[in-house]
Amino acid sequence: MGSVLRFRKLYFLEPNLRSNGSSETIKDNKPSLEGLKVDYKHVKSQRMEEHKNMKKKWRCLDSCCWFIGCVCTTWWLLLFMYHCLPANLAGLNGPEPPGVRLKNEGLAPLHPVVMVPGIVTGGLELWEGRPCSEGLFRKRLWGGSFTEIFKRPLCWMEHLSLDSETGLDPPGIRVRPVPGLVAADYFGPGYFVWAVLIENLAKIGYEGKNMFMAAYDWRLSFQNTEVRDQAFSRLKINIELMYITNGNKKVVVVPHSMGAIYFLHFMKWVEAPPPMGGGGGPEWCAKHIKAIMNIGATFLGVPKAVSGLLSAEGKDVAFIRAMAPGLLDSEILGLKTMERMMHVSRTWDSVISLLPKGGDAIWGDLDSSPEEVHECDLETKCYIQTSSKENSTKHEDTTPHFQLKHQTNYGRMISFGKTTSEQHSSELPVIAPKELMDVTKDLNSSEKCGDIWTEYGKISRKNIQRLADNKAYTAATLIDLLRFVAPKTMQRAEAHFSHGIATDLDDPKYSHYRYWSNPLETKLPNAPDMEIYSLYGVGIPTERSYVYKLSTSEKCNSIPFRIDSSAEGNGGQWGLRGGVYFVDGDDSVPVLSTGFMCAKGWKGKTRFNPSGSATYIREYQHKPPASLLEGRGLESGAHVDIMGNVALIEDILRVAAGASAEDIGGDQISSDILKMSEKVNIKL
Amino acid sequence: MSSTLRRRKPDPNPTPNPNPEEDGLDVEDIKKPKKPTIKKNYSCIDNCCWFIGCVCSIWWLLLFLYNAMPASFPQFVTEAISGPYPDPPGVKCLKEGLKVKHPVVFVPGIVTGGLELWEGHQCMDGLFRKRLWGGTFGEVYKRPSCWVQHMSLDNKTGMDPPGIRVRPVTGLVAADYFAPGYFVWAVLIANLARVGYEEKNMYMAAYDWRLGFQNTEVRDQTLSRIKSNIELMVATNGGNKAVIIPHSMGVPYFLHFMKWVEAPAPMGGGGGPDWCAKHIKAVMNIGGPFLGVPKAVAGLFSAEAKDIATARAVAPGVLDSDLFQIQTLQNLMRMSRTWDSTMSMIPKGGDTIWGGLDWSPEEGYAPSKRKQGKNDTCTQNESGGGVCEATQASYGRMVSFGRDVAEAPSSEIERIEFRGAVKGNSVANNTCRDVWTEYHDMGFGGIKAVAEYKVYTAGEVVELLEFVAPKMMERGSAHFSYGIAEDLDDPKYEHFKYWSNPLETKLPNAPDMEIYSLYGVGIPTERAYIYKLRPAAECYIPFQIDTSAKDKNEDGCLKDGVYTVDGDETVPALSAGYMCAKGWRGKTRFNPSGIKTYVREYDHNPPSNFLEGRGTQSGAHVDIMGNYQLIEDVIRVAAGAKGEELGGDQVHTGIFEWSEKIKLKL
């Protein structure tokens, strides 16, 4: 240190001594040969010049160094002061966490808790990879800090893709889910998923032995998690173990998002005989499960998944887009990020499980949808005519003018052009979905387009135009559309998932696993004492249907469809905005999807719920965080943030500590889910 | 910014600024001379800032270069220096076509497993589910007394103190790395992964290593958890039995498990008498202290073992100084004495195994000589002659007070019975009371009595500990036993306290199972101690290893008051090898079904250069987990090989000769 300072002092004196250096330089430029002396002089002057140059450079460098030093010092000082700060500084403290309050009420752990994370929230780590991923053994590729995306994006995508034929690992690559509570407690640093719930459970006395995180590879189809990783067997054994070691107390299962249908699948699997099932016998669920507390469950699918599959545009079917939106849409790196993303996500079978289920019966047809009444209520200008029209026959002709203004056709999940979305069904060109399938594809279109496998390259422009001419797609015809634009993906995935409604549940075909995750094609297990809750947030506009346009881009392999973000409705929080029709929901899942089964489909003894398991709906009205200090909010209703909702945590804690649904207040409904459910006419 | 630039400009014309109030708002102002006083005031801070900036920038530059460096660069450098690297054993085995076959279960040892906080006092705010043990140990420095408080167990029950819940970390992360960069299981896991292993066929049986073995089941149901996970893995891997790899204290822990799982409920797991035969292919014990570790004695006696808690190695200076007025050593002793598990390591088998006053199995053998000459005994070695005179007399005397006593023939030692000695009333010193070491209960009389007995053999050491720490040993004796069974069919041996002692239990009835003992040799390992009394001071531990006692010869077996024998630096070869070399060999009463046993020793070779890290041929207790040869053996067995295919026994020490000297009814 001393010497450095001395050097600097010397150097500050130098300008005065060196002022005569410039004259010598001029002399030296003459190309004379005066022997050593000149050489010497030359060298000397050069050195001087260097010195001068250096001096100038050093000045700048110096100031830079100085500046950096200043910043660093200040930063350290602040950091130090921050660390000296007592952890519980008055004022910074939020309200007492629910766990502490309930512990003071005397709650203690009773039932073991099983957590089932949803899509994308679980971490994935590398077990075997290509040379480009060297040094990442057992490091997280998904979850955590995501630094690898930026460091080696192509490598990262390659490793996260699955095999496009089998939907399993590509050869030479093994990416596996992170096990244990760490799998999904935090998604990124500071972005909690389960952490708040875990902490509150721990406050009343839970710990590793009576909490279990059923981490699974959320990219795979549900049955494949068993085939490849034995995830179901693992879950079964762990539930049995916790049941025994906790004094024969049944478990409380808390699935989130896609975890809800994953757990539906599990319940069918565990009671089905081997080899397809787990061979737990028909009483397994009744014996081991006290309650299932679905949080933001995607029972009947998510419209967002449609746009995700069609054009990789869902707002967060992959969180990536939210994390780095600019990066994805630009082509800075020549990466065609969107197309690659689409390629990656299309190899994930699980995405297909999120497509809307139940077709037109649930989601509405060209002219009506369950949510329309609801929308009228919200906007408080409901025309009696509208509802009377709904109740009367569909063939009744009403004026287009009237409809344009007041009716939103949520049932048309995809419409090409804003007008299409508003026209009456009779004005739409009718092309039967079957016809679509017959259109011959031209396969010679784009060999040169490289390896990006979005399947769009195989469809000719003409056919795309024909697709767009069909104008509007409902939940049922949508599946046909996807089958057309992504034949391989759908073919692969539909071996694992089904999206219909069963007419006869006793049909032996329903014992196949592809129906197990669809609540409309399975019966609940025979467990009359089991309780099923649906906990979800409401009060946030949620994507429900889309206005599309054809993309103008002619580049090979580009995605030909785009959400028409110029399509705007007539104001309001609900309705059309930026090419998307919004309804009430939790930002990802519409109320209809998450609430219908518990509100009607399973309520009482129905054919889907033959043993009459009790169902409850608990809605949490969304309130944005009041201040910055609250972080993501204590009363949030958003799809993931709801995991930090104090009221929801309290409900779960009470149930885990032994409360029944009546103790926590039974149903708690603030949306129009009951009215919507009334409008859905399916055989129960 | 402009003002800062100006400040740093050298001042050719030091005339004072006529307008002092015009303070750097103009750009022109930069050219103007400044007041020299201001320059002076700032120049020191300026310089500091400049310097810090320089350092930071260089640091960042280096960091950037380091990050930009391809990952294979260090390996490239190493290969350039020391010739091509051998293939890691995983790659080698993969090339040979070995594949996943048997699921693998790891059982970590003492101190290597991570512990995390689930519930704590106020002072531990914000550390929920953060590691208290393992990882960076940052909390030790930040809030030492709080940390000690949380790591301690209740000294009556040996379980959680009220209001504190510290639990083992679960999963492979529990013990893959002990601290950043300090691998334990990570290398083995990585190599197993190369041949295709992954989470579904590897299981880390993490347990709270502070508890008595049975208490891990009582509190955390750890044994049930291990049982159901082994069952699950065997079922999902096509019925292939599991290969168990315990390390260090994991070895007696797994012995305990094997008895537990077949014992009927409620004390046992109710798996039935053929559970082990059905589910276990092989138990590959790494560095197993089957018969205990002498180090544990020193640790319990005076908290001085070199690494019974690695904590001491992590921060030796801090522990020995009184820097923070917290009596580190005493606190540490209080903490480690609340851990029942340390008592599982007390030498078992008494004088029969470890030697009496006048003999010991290892005498006439010096570890450091073996490599130089081929001579197996020191007497043949001229330079070592004197050394072994001492060793002959002393190994059996596990604790002796004074060097002369350690070397004197037994007839010359005057011993005054310490049992029943009155523990004198010491001056009640309440400042020491809170440090619970039990020494203050002994008083001067007790301490004197201990010292006057002069010499303690392995059997007497247990009694010594019972005398100096009665409460602790009483708690521990409910969980562990250190004797040799006369009659193994005695119904008392059904109690769990005998399960972890191989000399008081039978192996399960599983004739197809294989038991390996893999351990490093060639490192001097603590075997017996020379103690001295510490000058009386109320708050200190009264006994101390007499570090002045050492041989004149550099290669001597006595160094710093410690007699060493061959071993892996922690466990003497005798303890690790005896059971597999003789106690269980063939059909014995300890091994009624005739389970095959193998001894495989790995000769220690220190890493040849710095880049090798902790070495690929190390034999040290923990570093052996990175030994390529050992890893290869493990992979081969996991891929289906039998003991004979590995080459059967592989012995460097005189373990078989030593075993012959031990007169134990088999």
Side-chain angles (χ1 to χ4, degrees):
Chain A
M1 176 91 188
S3 66
V4 177
L5 290 181
R6 216 172 303 128
F7 164 71
R8 255 176 61 81
K9 270 180 198 151
L10 277 176
Y11 149 74
F12 270 123
L13 294 173
E14 264 173 8
N16 299 334
L17 304 171
R18 290 274 163 76
S19 48
N20 54 350
S22 55
S23 58
E24 280 178 18
T25 328
I26 299 159
K27 268 188 215 163
D28 266 72
N29 284 344
K30 281 187 280 176
S32 62
L33 289 159
E34 280 183 41
L36 287 167
K37 206 174 179 186
V38 179
D39 261 8
Y40 169 69
K41 263 191 175 175
H42 185 71
V43 169
K44 195 179 165 195
S45 66
Q46 251 191 353
R47 231 174 51 206
M48 291 227 172
E49 218 165 357
E50 268 169 29
H51 252 288
K52 270 187 129 182
N53 285 347
M54 248 175 65
K55 195 179 84 189
K56 251 188 193 164
K57 272 188 208 154
W58 268 99
R59 278 278 155 76
C60 177
L61 254 177
D62 262 359
S63 334
C64 282
C65 282
W66 177 86
F67 180 69
I68 292 168
C70 264
V71 172
C72 283
T73 322
T74 325
W75 174 246
W76 289 333
L77 198 73
L78 288 176
L79 211 68
F80 177 73
M81 273 160 63
Y82 175 79
H83 275 287
C84 286
L85 218 69
N88 45 0
L89 191 71
L92 276 179
N93 247 357
E96 205 178 26
V100 175
R101 185 156 42 84
L102 294 175
K103 189 189 169 72
N104 293 340
E105 275 182 34
L107 259 65
L110 187 71
H111 298 280
V113 174
V114 174
M115 291 168 262
V116 188
I119 197 167
V120 306
T121 47
L124 300 173
E125 59 188 15
L126 183 76
W127 277 83
E128 184 183 340
R130 301 267 155 78
C132 69
S133 65
E134 202 180 296
L136 292 179
F137 175 68
R138 286 184 57 219
K139 297 272 188 307
R140 283 196 183 198
L141 290 188
W142 188 271
S145 54
F146 281 100
T147 43
E148 295 311 319
I149 301 183
F150 300 103
K151 276 198 197 159
R152 22 192 158 176
L154 289 179
C155 183
W156 182 82
M157 285 192 184
E158 185 188 355
H159 283 80
L160 273 181
S161 302
L162 294 170
D163 190 283
S164 55
E165 301 294 326
T166 61
L168 291 167
D169 288 326
I173 292 177
R174 282 186 291 152
V175 174
R176 295 287 177 269
V178 178
L181 291 178
V182 285
D185 55 350
Y186 288 94
F187 177 64
Y191 189 89
F192 71 82
V193 181
W194 293 90
V196 180
L197 181 61
I198 292 172
E199 186 161 356
N200 280 296
L201 282 167
K203 288 257 160 63
I204 65 167
Y206 278 89
E207 56 194 52
K209 68 175 174 185
N210 40 23
M211 276 197 274
F212 178 70
M213 177 76 77
Y216 57 97
D217 190 336
W218 46 263
R219 301 169 305 159
L220 298 183
S221 76
F222 302 159
Q223 192 68 12
N224 274 344
T225 62
E226 168 67 13
V227 171
R228 198 192 71 183
D229 299 335
Q230 285 86 43
F232 286 138
S233 305
R234 212 158 281 266
L235 179 55
K236 173 171 176 256
I237 288 266
N238 274 291
I239 290 179
E240 286 168 356
L241 174 71
M242 288 203 294
Y243 173 75
I244 292 166
T245 55
N246 285 286
N248 293 356
K249 291 279 176 292
K250 298 184 199 175
V251 301
V252 170
V253 184
V254 188
H256 173 234
S257 185
M258 192 177 81
I261 49 178
Y262 184 77
F263 195 74
L264 274 184
H265 191 108
F266 170 76
M267 285 199 290
K268 294 303 286 184
W269 174 88
V270 76
E271 301 201 336
M276 202 191 277
E283 295 299 313
W284 196 93
C285 291
K287 190 180 162 200
H288 291 95
I289 301 177
K290 174 197 189 314
I292 305 172
M293 309 195 76
N294 303 290
I295 304 176
T298 57
F299 284 123
L300 301 178
V302 193
K304 217 177 241 195
V306 177
S307 64
L309 275 169
L310 202 61
S311 62
E313 281 188 304
K315 277 209 184 125
D316 65 16
V317 77
F319 275 126
I320 308 175
R321 301 206 71 212
M323 291 180 72
L327 190 76
L328 291 174
D329 292 332
S330 69
E331 293 202 9
I332 336 167
L333 306 171
L335 282 178
K336 296 212 210 163
T337 325
M338 292 282 280
E339 283 78 8
R340 285 185 189 276
M341 216 37 242
M342 186 165 198
H343 165 50
V344 172
S345 64
R346 276 198 180 176
T347 65
W348 298 344
D349 284 343
S350 60
V351 178
I352 308 295
S353 76
L354 295 175
L355 288 180
K357 289 165 192 161
D360 296 358
I362 300 286
W363 295 94
D365 53 24
L366 287 176
D367 288 318
S368 70
S369 69
E371 279 111 328
E372 273 155 33
V373 177
H374 157 68
E375 192 235 359
C376 291
D377 279 356
L378 271 171
E379 306 230 325
T380 60
K381 46 181 175 183
C382 188
Y383 287 80
I384 299 153
Q385 290 102 311
T386 321
S387 40
S388 69
K389 178 196 75 75
E390 309 290 310
N391 295 338
S392 63
T393 56
K394 300 222 163 76
H395 300 292
E396 188 188 346
D397 203 0
T398 40
T399 55
H401 169 74
F402 177 81
Q403 300 224 338
L404 262 172
K405 246 184 174 174
H406 300 294
Q407 193 186 340
T408 321
N409 288 311
Y410 289 123
R412 302 175 192 179
M413 219 161 256
I414 301 279
S415 359
F416 283 91
K418 188 188 171 195
T419 44
T420 325
S421 73
E422 289 163 348
Q423 272 167 342
H424 186 253
S425 59
S426 56
E427 292 165 31
L428 291 171
V430 185
I431 300 175
K434 288 282 166 239
E435 233 172 282
L436 275 174
M437 305 305 289
D438 299 334
V439 177
T440 48
K441 295 169 197 170
D442 64 330
L443 290 164
N444 58 352
S445 58
S446 52
E447 301 272 313
K448 61 183 187 295
C449 282
D451 49 22
I452 304 174
W453 190 81
T454 59
E455 298 194 61
Y456 278 123
K458 298 210 174 93
I459 305 167
S460 71
R461 197 73 199 168
K462 202 176 82 199
N463 284 341
I464 286 168
Q465 192 60 50
R466 285 191 63 179
L467 290 178
D469 284 343
N470 202 33
K471 296 294 186 193
Y473 296 87
T474 62
T477 50
L478 192 69
I479 306 282
D480 295 319
L481 171 69
L482 286 170
R483 276 184 197 137
F484 181 73
V485 299
K488 282 191 198 158
T489 309
M490 290 303 283
Q491 198 187 345
R492 193 187 66 229
E494 287 202 305
H496 291 280
F497 298 107
S498 165
H499 302 95
I501 299 182
T503 40
D504 175 18
L505 279 166
D506 294 320
D507 191 329
K509 78 168 184 177
Y510 288 116
S511 59
H512 191 270
Y513 62 77
R514 66 181 286 231
Y515 301 102
W516 287 347
S517 62
N518 182 354
L520 298 172
E521 291 179 305
T522 46
K523 293 183 213 172
L524 285 181
N526 180 25
D529 294 336
M530 193 171 82
E531 294 169 333
I532 299 177
Y533 295 80
S534 191
L535 318 168
Y536 54 90
V538 291
I540 307 180
T542 306
E543 295 162 57
R544 173 68 166 82
S545 51
Y546 299 90
V547 178
Y548 263 87
K549 65 177 180 191
L550 283 179
S551 157
T552 47
S553 166
E554 284 292 347
K555 270 183 242 155
C556 72
N557 259 334
S558 63
I559 299 165
F561 306 116
R562 281 262 171 266
I563 291 178
D564 184 4
S565 48
S566 63
E568 292 287 343
N570 38 7
Q573 201 183 5
W574 317 98
L576 183 62
R577 208 148 37 86
V580 181
Y581 285 97
F582 288 98
V583 291
D584 199 0
D586 71 356
D587 200 27
S588 286
V589 189
V591 167
L592 182 70
S593 168
T594 172
F596 174 75
M597 288 317 288
C598 284
K600 193 173 172 203
W602 287 331
K603 197 84 183 178
K605 271 197 191 188
T606 67
R607 65 189 180 113
F608 301 112
N609 181 9
S611 66
S613 303
T615 61
Y616 301 93
I617 289 182
R618 293 189 66 80
E619 295 182 343
Y620 303 89
Q621 190 68 43
H622 174 72
K623 279 185 201 143
S627 68
L628 195 68
L629 286 170
E630 270 187 27
R632 285 155 65 202
L634 303 169
E635 293 174 277
S636 175
H639 191 58
V640 176
D641 295 353
I642 199 173
M643 308 289 284
N645 185 309
V646 174
L648 176 127
I649 289 173
E650 189 179 329
D651 286 348
I652 293 176
L653 258 54
R654 284 186 190 281
V655 171
S660 67
E662 278 72 35
D663 298 336
I664 62 169
D667 287 342
Q668 167 184 298
I669 296 173
S670 50
S671 74
D672 291 317
I673 180 66
L674 294 179
K675 282 185 207 158
M676 286 181 215
S677 306
E678 280 316 306
K679 291 203 63 195
V680 175
N681 282 313
I682 59 170
K683 196 181 93 188
L684 291 176
Chain B
M1 188 68 203
S2 68
S3 71
T4 61
L5 282 174
R6 179 180 0 100
R7 215 184 292 133
R8 298 172 35 70
K9 195 149 176 80
D11 200 349
N13 187 10
T15 45
N17 193 338
N19 285 340
E21 67 271 3
E22 176 190 335
D23 205 29
L25 297 167
D26 262 340
V27 186
E28 296 165 56
D29 203 34
I30 297 170
K31 302 284 177 197
K32 283 187 183 168
K34 281 297 294 181
K35 277 203 285 185
T37 47
I38 291 175
K39 186 186 149 195
K40 244 188 194 167
N41 281 345
Y42 280 86
S43 63
C44 178
I45 299 170
D46 267 0
N47 281 333
C48 285
C49 285
W50 175 84
F51 179 70
I52 291 167
C54 265
V55 172
C56 282
S57 319
I58 293 166
W59 175 246
W60 288 333
L61 193 74
L62 289 176
L63 211 68
F64 175 75
L65 284 175
Y66 175 77
N67 277 330
M69 185 176 77
S72 56
F73 187 70
Q75 198 192 337
F76 176 75
V77 172
T78 323
E79 285 184 2
I81 295 172
S82 61
Y85 239 34
D87 263 343
V91 176
K92 190 178 159 198
C93 292
L94 185 66
K95 281 179 188 159
E96 284 179 29
L98 295 185
K99 277 208 306 275
V100 189
K101 186 162 180 213
H102 298 279
V104 170
V105 177
F106 308 113
V107 188
I110 197 167
V111 306
T112 47
L115 300 172
E116 59 187 15
L117 182 78
W118 278 84
E119 185 182 340
H121 292 309
Q122 197 78 41
C123 65
M124 275 289 177
D125 260 2
L127 290 180
F128 176 68
R129 286 182 57 221
K130 297 273 187 305
R131 284 196 183 198
L132 292 190
W133 188 270
T136 55
F137 283 98
E139 298 312 318
V140 182
Y141 298 101
K142 276 196 200 157
R143 20 196 157 175
S145 56
C146 184
W147 182 82
V148 167
Q149 185 191 3
H150 283 76
M151 286 298 296
S152 301
L153 294 170
D154 190 287
N155 59 33
K156 296 274 174 340
T157 60
M159 304 280 256
D160 288 326
I164 292 177
R165 281 186 293 152
V166 174
R167 295 286 178 266
V169 178
T170 54
L172 292 179
V173 286
D176 55 351
Y177 287 94
F178 176 66
Y182 189 88
F183 70 82
V184 182
W185 294 91
V187 179
L188 184 59
I189 292 171
N191 279 296
L192 282 168
R194 301 242 190 190
V195 295
Y197 278 89
E198 54 193 68
E199 205 89 40
K200 69 176 173 185
N201 34 29
M202 281 197 273
Y203 174 66
M204 178 73 77
Y207 57 97
D208 189 336
W209 46 263
R210 301 171 303 159
L211 299 182
F213 298 160
Q214 189 71 7
N215 275 345
T216 62
E217 169 67 12
V218 171
R219 196 192 71 182
D220 298 336
Q221 285 86 45
T222 310
L223 298 173
S224 307
R225 209 162 283 268
I226 296 173
K227 174 174 176 255
S228 73
N229 271 292
I230 293 179
E231 284 168 357
L232 168 74
M233 288 203 300
V234 171
T236 55
N237 284 286
N240 285 317
K241 297 186 216 169
V243 171
I244 318 290
I245 309 175
H247 173 235
S248 183
M249 194 180 78
V251 171
Y253 187 74
F254 195 75
L255 278 182
H256 188 100
F257 171 80
M258 285 198 289
K259 294 303 285 184
W260 174 86
V261 75
E262 300 200 338
M267 199 193 276
D274 57 350
W275 194 93
C276 290
K278 264 198 256 169
H279 293 93
I280 301 177
K281 174 198 191 293
V283 184
M284 306 193 76
N285 304 294
I286 302 177
F290 284 106
L291 302 177
V293 191
K295 213 178 242 193
V297 175
L300 288 169
F301 194 51
S302 63
E304 279 187 304
K306 279 204 186 130
D307 65 17
I308 187 87
T310 321
R312 298 205 75 212
V314 172
V318 179
L319 292 175
D320 291 332
S321 70
D322 264 342
L323 199 59
F324 303 112
Q325 308 270 308
I326 51 165
Q327 293 173 322
T328 323
L329 219 52
Q330 279 82 352
N331 271 310
L332 205 71
M333 186 162 189
R334 177 177 62 156
M335 179 171 83
S336 64
R337 279 198 175 179
T338 65
W339 297 345
D340 285 345
S341 61
T342 51
M343 284 176 273
S344 73
M345 312 277 263
I346 293 174
K348 291 163 192 162
D351 299 1
T352 318
I353 300 288
W354 295 94
L357 284 179
D358 294 319
W359 75 283
S360 69
E362 293 112 320
E363 60 194 13
Y365 182 89
S368 48
K369 294 289 162 289
R370 180 170 37 77
K371 263 177 252 160
Q372 293 149 16
K374 291 283 168 192
N375 314 332
D376 270 345
T377 49
C378 298
T379 39
Q380 289 167 284
N381 193 312
E382 290 143 55
S383 66
V387 180
C388 291
E389 211 68 45
T391 52
Q392 273 178 359
S394 303
Y395 282 147
R397 303 174 188 180
M398 211 163 262
V399 172
S400 4
F401 281 88
R403 188 177 172 201
D404 44 338
V405 179
E407 289 170 2
S410 59
S411 54
E412 288 170 23
I413 303 173
E414 263 182 64
R415 301 165 88 189
I416 298 167
E417 190 60 33
F418 71 97
R419 281 156 261 197
V422 184
K423 294 185 178 181
N425 292 327
S426 64
V427 192
N429 187 335
N430 286 324
T431 54
C432 298
R433 292 257 159 197
D434 54 337
V435 180
W436 190 81
T437 62
E438 294 196 57
Y439 277 121
H440 56 76
D441 285 339
M442 282 181 61
F444 297 119
I447 292 165
K448 209 168 156 236
V450 165
E452 278 174 355
Y453 192 64
K454 300 270 181 17
V455 174
Y456 298 85
T457 60
E460 288 160 340
V461 153
V462 178
E463 289 166 43
L464 169 66
L465 289 173
E466 271 161 11
F467 182 75
V468 298
K471 285 188 207 153
M472 174 189 76
M473 290 302 283
E474 191 191 329
R475 206 182 62 226
S477 64
H479 287 279
F480 303 105
S481 167
Y482 314 105
I484 299 178
E486 281 302 309
D487 174 18
L488 278 166
D489 293 321
D490 191 330
K492 80 167 181 174
Y493 290 116
E494 278 161 27
H495 191 269
F496 63 78
K497 69 186 263 199
Y498 300 104
W499 288 348
S500 60
N501 182 354
L503 298 172
E504 291 180 305
T505 47
K506 292 184 220 171
L507 285 181
N509 179 25
D512 293 336
M513 201 168 97
E514 292 170 324
I515 296 182
Y516 294 80
S517 190
L518 318 168
Y519 54 92
V521 291
I523 308 181
T525 306
E526 296 164 57
R527 173 70 166 81
Y529 299 90
I530 294 179
Y531 267 88
K532 66 176 179 192
L533 280 182
R534 195 168 184 163
E538 253 317 297
C539 280
Y540 281 94
I541 297 164
F543 310 108
Q544 208 178 16
I545 292 175
D546 184 4
T547 46
S548 64
K550 56 181 77 159
D551 281 313
K552 287 150 231 134
N553 195 315
E554 271 293 295
D555 296 327
C557 298
L558 176 63
K559 222 177 250 176
D560 296 337
V562 180
Y563 286 102
T564 55
V565 292
D566 204 353
D568 69 357
E569 204 178 12
T570 300
V571 185
L574 182 73
S575 172
Y578 174 72
M579 288 317 288
C580 284
K582 189 163 174 222
W584 286 332
R585 201 36 73 96
K587 271 197 189 186
T588 68
R589 64 188 181 115
F590 301 111
N591 180 10
S593 64
I595 295 171
K596 288 210 179 64
T597 61
Y598 302 93
V599 177
R600 289 185 71 79
E601 296 182 345
Y602 301 89
D603 205 0
H604 176 70
N605 272 327
S608 53
N609 62 39
F610 181 69
L611 284 166
E612 264 188 28
R614 286 155 66 203
T616 55
Q617 294 173 292
S618 175
H621 192 57
V622 176
D623 294 354
I624 199 175
M625 308 289 283
N627 186 312
Y628 276 11
Q629 217 192 332
L630 176 132
I631 292 173
E632 196 183 318
D633 286 349
V634 170
I635 292 177
R636 283 182 192 284
V637 172
K642 288 197 167 297
E644 286 84 24
E645 295 163 45
L646 290 187
D649 290 336
Q650 168 184 302
V651 176
H652 298 286
T653 62
I655 180 72
F656 286 112
E657 293 154 40
W658 301 340
S659 305
E660 282 314 308
K661 287 194 200 158
I662 293 173
K663 304 280 174 290
L664 177 69
K665 193 181 93 188
L666 291 177

